[in-house]
Amino acid sequence: QVQLVESGGGLVQPGGSLRLSCAASGSTSSINLMAWHRQAPGKSRELVAVITNNGITSYADSAKGRFTISRDNAKNTVYLQMNSLKPDDTGYYYCYVPTGYTNYWGSGTLVTVSS
């Protein structure tokens, strides 16, 4: 069993920045990949960024150049630094961790980009 708790969401103006955190607990030895997904109002959930246990990263086209995913394996935590935020970035952001046993999702943290 793995539990994921996201934090760091909030209200920010266009052009601003936020840093999201996702702390994992439980059977953390089974964790390899860690990723961030988001779901905007009226849209399907989509992948934003992913990082392997070796630090290899991939990003959605909409996130490249603005977002940075990182992790601290000692703390079992993955981060998403979001810069130059746009209104289209608004939505719930979810931490996602697949394992050999099952897939785990956090409950989400809300990011609202608005003036």
Side-chain angles (χ1 to χ4, degrees):
Q1 183 72 249
V2 174
Q3 296 182 176
L4 305 172
V5 179
E6 303 102 332
S7 62
L11 176 64
V12 64
Q13 294 187 190
S17 298
L18 285 174
R19 189 191 193 201
L20 307 183
S21 298
C22 172
S25 61
S27 301
T28 56
S29 62
S30 64
I31 295 175
N32 185 2
L33 296 172
M34 302 186 80
W36 287 96
H37 290 68
R38 70 183 179 190
Q39 187 166 17
K43 295 185 178 180
S44 300
R45 190 172 299 186
E46 64 177 351
L47 177 68
V48 177
V50 61
I51 185 168
T52 72
N53 62 344
N54 295 321
I56 307 301
T57 60
S58 296
Y59 299 90
D61 287 342
S62 61
K64 290 180 180 178
R66 300 188 299 124
F67 293 5
T68 302
I69 188 171
S70 62
R71 65 191 292 173
D72 184 339
N73 289 338
K75 297 183 180 296
N76 299 124
T77 300
V78 62
Y79 305 93
L80 186 67
Q81 178 67 46
M82 304 186 294
N83 299 324
S84 302
L85 284 162
K86 306 174 181 179
D88 286 348
D89 295 319
T90 293
Y92 280 91
Y93 284 70
Y94 299 89
C95 187
Y96 171 66
V97 175
T99 71
Y101 304 98
T102 189
N103 301 326
Y104 298 95
W105 292 91
S107 59
T109 185
L110 179 62
V111 172
T112 303
V113 185
S114 176
S115 298

